Amino acid sequence: MLEGGLTKDMVHEMLKRNFLPFEITTPSGKIVTLYRSTKSLSTKEMGEFIDACRGYYLAETGEEIPLPQYMKE
């Protein structure tokens, strides 16, 4: 359990809903919003998703999530 009573799965779902939505139109013409699975993302798309999540966290908390050591220049 994370801070605020959230689980990792809850946070993952919230981030998917914020950053990975797409819309489809049903045969009846209704527009439905779905959310991409992070497992379906390419390496580039996953990097963009992680960047978006880091930016969201920074905006919400004022704290930066550091990059993993292997990604630092």
Side-chain angles (χ1 to χ4, degrees):
M1 188 86 46
L2 303 172
E3 185 176 325
L6 299 173
T7 66
K8 289 180 184 181
D9 288 338
M10 292 164 74
V11 171
H12 183 247
E13 189 64 30
M14 185 260 319
L15 292 170
K16 279 182 17 180
R17 288 177 181 266
N18 278 326
F19 302 113
L20 300 176
F22 68 97
E23 293 181 340
I24 62 167
T25 304
T26 66
S28 66
K30 182 179 178 182
I31 297 174
V32 178
T33 301
L34 300 173
Y35 307 94
R36 293 186 63 190
S37 165
T38 52
K39 291 180 183 179
S40 73
L41 300 178
S42 68
T43 302
K44 180 182 178 193
E45 291 168 329
M46 189 61 173
E48 293 168 351
F49 175 67
I50 290 169
D51 287 345
C53 293
R54 291 178 73 237
Y56 174 81
Y57 187 81
L58 178 62
E60 289 293 315
T61 67
E63 297 177 19
E64 188 172 339
I65 297 172
L67 287 171
Q69 189 63 34
Y70 65 87
M71 294 182 71
K72 292 183 181 175
E73 296 179 29

